[in-house]
Amino acid sequence: MGRSPCCEKAHTNKGAWTKEEDDRLIAHIRVHGEGCWRSLPKAAGLLRCGKSCRLRWINYLRPDLKRGNFTEEEDELIIKLHSLLGNKWSHIAGRLPGRTDNEIKNYWNTHIRRKLLSRGVDPSTHRPINGQAASDITISFKKEEKEDSFGCLEERNGGQKRPPRCPDLNLDLRISPPSYQDEPEPMKGERGLCFSCTLGLQKSKDCSCNGFLDLKTGLLDYRSLEMK
DNA sequence: AACCGCCACAACCGCATGTCG
DNA sequence: TCGACATGCGGTTGTGGCGGT
């Protein structure tokens, strides 16, 4: 279907935002709130397209953004979430309060990729580059389980297998720590993890433990538990 | 001082998805 | 149900800073 351009390109500024443009955008959103991005530039007196305004606000001007370096804990959390979700930056960002998808995407491409490569891990598959079986970051689903919160398990309909509904999710992945089904009970103080928690959905209604990603800093944010 | 290459990150682009009449 | 529109998302590009030569 044909689409009109998102903005009148001939009459819009491009490139870096000026302080004045930032101030105008902030002032407008303070008064009118977020939304109506298409009409916002005109209303705010900005020669920018709506998408540009939205990006600028979401990625840099929002008051709740956490600027500055990523912590080691954030690094590891991003790696874990990426192993589960792939390049779903917005979903990953939803679990890192104060961080944006764009920020995480850039950080991944510039820092974490290199970090994983230096560990001998393929950043896209999270498997060892030398071809060995992945040791601790893989996803596996038990056949008995009916469906996870993302609806990614195989379903059986009249005994027939249906393909997973999340073809873009690497089902060869499993997140550690592994289930204890074939292992001794966890040591006192160690925790087994329910399936919700292995997906970073601690405290969801399905959580049956108090485990995974329970960072001491309380970094996790469950605003976006509902996946598309 | 000038040049070059690399890196980090801000911003853009095109497509997908959601919503509404 | 369909089309138009608004918004969101992920990949890619552009650019400024910095260090090395």
XYZ file of all heavy atoms in Angstrom, chain A residues 34-79:
378
model
N 3.651 13.450 25.643
C 4.144 12.727 24.475
C 2.988 12.353 23.562
O 1.852 12.297 23.990
C 4.859 11.438 24.901
C 6.159 11.671 25.632
C 6.830 10.356 26.007
O 6.908 9.466 25.137
O 7.260 10.217 27.156
N 3.332 12.041 22.337
C 2.326 11.584 21.394
C 2.100 12.585 20.277
O 2.658 13.684 20.283
N 1.280 12.203 19.314
C 0.995 13.034 18.149
C 2.290 13.536 17.516
O 2.452 14.726 17.247
C 0.099 14.215 18.512
S -1.456 13.721 19.186
N 3.215 12.633 17.308
C 4.536 13.029 16.832
C 4.472 13.691 15.466
O 5.306 14.535 15.155
C 5.452 11.807 16.786
C 5.715 11.227 18.127
C 5.238 10.052 18.624
C 6.489 11.804 19.184
N 5.685 9.853 19.914
C 6.443 10.925 20.282
C 7.211 12.997 19.329
C 7.100 11.171 21.492
C 7.860 13.241 20.521
C 7.805 12.343 21.591
N 3.530 13.279 14.692
C 3.464 13.836 13.331
C 3.147 15.324 13.362
O 3.686 16.099 12.573
C 2.404 13.065 12.531
C 2.494 13.273 11.036
C 1.368 12.505 10.352
N 1.282 12.832 8.927
C 1.972 12.206 7.988
N 2.791 11.254 8.277
N 1.824 12.553 6.712
N 2.281 15.706 14.267
C 1.890 17.120 14.315
C 2.748 17.926 15.277
O 2.700 19.147 15.282
C 0.425 17.231 14.712
O 0.216 16.629 15.969
N 3.528 17.214 16.093
C 4.327 17.905 17.109
C 5.304 18.958 16.551
O 5.358 20.077 17.078
C 5.083 16.880 17.955
C 5.897 17.416 19.134
C 5.898 16.399 20.258
C 7.323 17.768 18.756
N 6.061 18.619 15.507
C 7.045 19.595 15.036
C 6.424 20.945 14.705
O 6.945 21.992 15.097
C 7.637 18.927 13.795
C 7.387 17.484 13.976
C 6.097 17.376 14.727
N 5.318 20.900 14.025
C 4.664 22.153 13.653
C 4.191 22.890 14.898
O 4.408 24.090 15.064
C 3.478 21.850 12.724
C 2.927 23.082 12.031
C 1.845 22.674 11.041
C 1.265 23.909 10.351
N 0.185 23.568 9.427
N 3.561 22.125 15.796
C 3.030 22.740 17.007
C 4.141 23.313 17.888
O 3.958 24.321 18.571
C 2.220 21.705 17.802
N 5.291 22.656 17.859
C 6.398 23.102 18.706
C 7.301 24.097 17.991
O 8.255 24.606 18.584
C 7.219 21.886 19.160
N 7.003 24.359 16.733
C 7.831 25.292 15.988
C 9.186 24.722 15.601
O 10.181 25.443 15.555
N 9.192 23.422 15.334
C 10.445 22.760 14.970
C 10.441 22.380 13.497
O 9.441 21.901 12.979
C 10.633 21.498 15.819
C 10.958 21.708 17.286
C 10.715 20.423 18.069
C 12.393 22.181 17.466
N 11.563 22.571 12.857
C 11.685 22.148 11.463
C 12.297 20.754 11.423
O 13.375 20.510 10.873
C 12.549 23.136 10.675
C 11.931 24.515 10.505
C 12.921 25.458 9.834
C 10.648 24.440 9.700
N 11.601 19.842 12.051
C 12.045 18.453 12.109
C 10.863 17.568 11.775
O 9.721 17.983 11.911
C 12.524 18.096 13.517
C 13.770 18.821 13.953
C 14.991 18.067 13.490
N 16.221 18.742 13.872
C 17.431 18.238 13.627
N 17.560 17.081 13.030
N 18.519 18.892 13.966
N 11.140 16.344 11.371
C 10.025 15.435 11.150
C 9.656 14.790 12.489
O 10.441 14.770 13.443
C 10.336 14.385 10.088
S 11.276 12.986 10.645
N 8.444 14.285 12.552
C 7.945 13.722 13.801
C 8.791 12.582 14.321
O 9.031 12.450 15.525
N 9.262 11.769 13.394
C 10.083 10.634 13.819
C 11.358 11.116 14.480
O 11.830 10.547 15.466
C 10.436 9.777 12.603
C 9.273 9.012 12.060
C 9.628 8.344 10.754
C 10.348 7.046 10.984
N 10.433 6.252 9.740
N 11.923 12.163 13.921
C 13.160 12.694 14.476
C 12.916 13.227 15.892
O 13.732 13.018 16.793
C 13.684 13.805 13.563
O 14.887 14.335 14.055
N 11.783 13.903 16.080
C 11.437 14.430 17.402
C 11.257 13.279 18.400
O 11.741 13.341 19.532
C 10.152 15.245 17.336
S 10.298 16.752 16.374
N 10.550 12.267 17.964
C 10.319 11.127 18.845
C 11.640 10.490 19.274
O 11.872 10.222 20.455
C 9.448 10.101 18.123
C 9.215 8.854 18.908
C 8.387 7.828 18.148
N 8.597 6.530 18.747
C 9.575 5.713 18.374
N 10.401 6.060 17.391
N 9.737 4.565 18.983
N 12.512 10.248 18.311
C 13.809 9.642 18.613
C 14.603 10.514 19.576
O 15.212 10.013 20.520
C 14.604 9.452 17.319
C 14.632 8.060 16.710
C 15.366 7.092 17.613
C 13.230 7.523 16.464
N 14.600 11.799 19.310
C 15.383 12.703 20.150
C 14.864 12.675 21.585
O 15.643 12.634 22.537
C 15.305 14.127 19.585
C 16.145 15.135 20.348
C 17.626 14.824 20.222
N 18.429 15.751 20.987
C 19.740 15.622 21.188
N 20.390 14.612 20.658
N 20.406 16.493 21.904
N 13.553 12.674 21.725
C 12.963 12.664 23.056
C 13.237 11.329 23.761
O 13.718 11.297 24.887
C 11.452 12.904 22.965
C 10.738 12.731 24.271
C 9.949 11.696 24.640
C 10.775 13.629 25.388
N 9.486 11.874 25.909
C 9.965 13.061 26.404
C 11.401 14.854 25.636
C 9.772 13.676 27.645
C 11.206 15.475 26.874
C 10.397 14.879 27.856
N 12.952 10.258 23.066
C 13.076 8.939 23.684
C 14.531 8.621 24.039
O 14.819 8.082 25.101
C 12.495 7.861 22.742
C 10.976 7.959 22.728
C 12.932 6.474 23.156
C 10.307 7.038 21.737
N 15.431 8.988 23.153
C 16.815 8.565 23.359
C 17.663 9.532 24.182
O 18.673 9.119 24.747
C 17.498 8.328 22.013
C 16.989 7.075 21.321
O 16.666 6.087 21.967
N 16.884 7.125 20.012
N 17.273 10.798 24.223
C 18.165 11.746 24.900
C 17.514 12.733 25.843
O 18.152 13.192 26.798
C 18.980 12.530 23.853
C 19.819 11.588 23.079
C 19.394 11.096 21.867
C 20.977 11.078 23.632
C 20.126 10.147 21.191
C 21.716 10.130 22.968
C 21.285 9.672 21.748
O 21.999 8.713 21.098
N 16.287 13.075 25.601
C 15.724 14.168 26.377
C 14.818 13.709 27.519
O 14.560 14.472 28.433
C 14.937 15.117 25.454
C 15.789 15.740 24.342
C 14.920 16.619 23.446
C 16.936 16.563 24.924
N 14.335 12.509 27.455
C 13.462 11.998 28.508
C 14.127 12.163 29.860
O 15.303 11.845 30.026
C 13.181 10.514 28.268
C 11.776 10.210 27.812
C 11.663 8.786 27.351
N 12.291 7.846 28.272
C 12.576 6.588 27.980
N 12.298 6.130 26.784
N 13.142 5.803 28.848
N 13.383 12.671 30.849
C 14.001 12.929 32.146
C 14.415 11.682 32.906
O 15.272 11.759 33.781
C 12.903 13.694 32.905
C 11.634 13.340 32.224
C 11.978 13.079 30.793
N 13.830 10.547 32.580
C 14.145 9.338 33.364
C 15.304 8.539 32.783
O 15.555 7.416 33.197
C 12.901 8.440 33.459
C 12.362 8.041 32.099
O 12.518 8.832 31.148
O 11.793 6.953 31.975
N 16.011 9.119 31.834
C 17.114 8.375 31.246
C 18.309 8.348 32.182
O 18.611 9.306 32.862
C 17.534 9.014 29.913
C 16.565 8.832 28.762
C 17.129 9.473 27.512
C 16.283 7.369 28.517
N 18.949 7.197 32.156
C 20.169 7.037 32.952
C 21.349 7.188 32.003
O 21.600 6.354 31.153
C 20.192 5.645 33.580
C 21.374 5.376 34.484
C 21.605 3.888 34.609
C 20.523 3.196 35.406
N 20.821 1.762 35.607
N 22.032 8.275 32.082
C 23.176 8.474 31.203
C 24.432 7.883 31.842
O 24.474 7.646 33.025
C 23.396 9.966 30.924
C 22.158 10.684 30.434
C 21.643 10.153 29.133
N 22.604 10.324 28.045
C 22.409 9.903 26.808
N 21.310 9.281 26.497
N 23.318 10.095 25.881
N 25.413 7.682 31.064
C 26.681 7.225 31.617
C 26.989 5.784 31.260
O 26.245 5.131 30.531
N 28.094 5.325 31.765
C 28.579 4.003 31.400
C 27.663 2.892 31.899
O 27.015 3.028 32.919
C 29.977 3.788 31.961
C 30.972 4.747 31.360
O 30.761 5.263 30.258
N 32.041 5.027 32.078
N 27.688 1.825 31.165
C 26.971 0.624 31.591
C 27.784 -0.056 32.685
O 29.015 -0.092 32.629
C 26.783 -0.332 30.419
C 25.686 0.065 29.483
C 25.853 1.122 28.595
C 24.478 -0.600 29.488
C 24.840 1.496 27.725
C 23.453 -0.247 28.614
C 23.642 0.802 27.735
N 27.087 -0.583 33.659
C 27.771 -1.317 34.714
C 28.034 -2.748 34.264
O 27.454 -3.222 33.274
C 26.918 -1.362 35.983
O 25.733 -2.123 35.705
C 26.513 0.042 36.429
N 28.885 -3.409 35.005
C 29.186 -4.805 34.696
C 27.912 -5.644 34.774
O 27.687 -6.551 33.965
C 30.228 -5.332 35.688
C 30.901 -6.609 35.244
C 31.626 -6.465 33.913
O 32.173 -5.383 33.614
O 31.617 -7.451 33.158
N 27.071 -5.317 35.733
C 25.811 -6.068 35.879
C 24.911 -5.845 34.670
O 24.267 -6.776 34.179
C 25.083 -5.619 37.149
C 25.666 -6.209 38.412
C 24.914 -5.741 39.645
O 24.300 -4.648 39.588
O 24.935 -6.457 40.647
N 24.876 -4.608 34.221
C 24.066 -4.322 33.033
C 24.617 -5.072 31.824
O 23.854 -5.612 31.015
C 24.017 -2.816 32.768
C 23.116 -2.060 33.715
C 23.170 -0.557 33.488
O 24.280 -0.004 33.443
O 22.116 0.072 33.371
N 25.937 -5.085 31.700
C 26.568 -5.847 30.606
C 26.065 -7.288 30.584
O 25.624 -7.799 29.553
C 28.086 -5.898 30.816
C 28.785 -4.684 30.228
O 28.095 -3.675 29.985
O 30.003 -4.751 30.030
N 26.181 -7.919 31.737
C 25.826 -9.337 31.805
C 24.341 -9.541 31.564
O 23.928 -10.515 30.922
C 26.230 -9.916 33.174
C 27.735 -9.931 33.391
C 28.485 -10.690 32.279
O 27.987 -11.735 31.839
O 29.550 -10.205 31.851
N 23.546 -8.611 32.060
C 22.108 -8.723 31.842
C 21.776 -8.599 30.360
O 20.959 -9.347 29.822
C 21.381 -7.635 32.641
C 19.857 -7.611 32.541
C 19.276 -8.975 32.903
C 19.282 -6.535 33.433
N 22.424 -7.672 29.700
C 22.191 -7.493 28.265
C 22.579 -8.764 27.511
O 21.866 -9.221 26.618
C 22.979 -6.281 27.733
C 22.382 -4.984 28.282
C 22.954 -6.255 26.214
C 23.256 -3.768 28.053
N 23.700 -9.323 27.880
C 24.150 -10.555 27.208
C 23.126 -11.668 27.408
O 22.741 -12.367 26.460
C 25.534 -10.987 27.736
C 26.593 -9.977 27.292
C 25.880 -12.377 27.252
C 27.930 -10.129 27.991
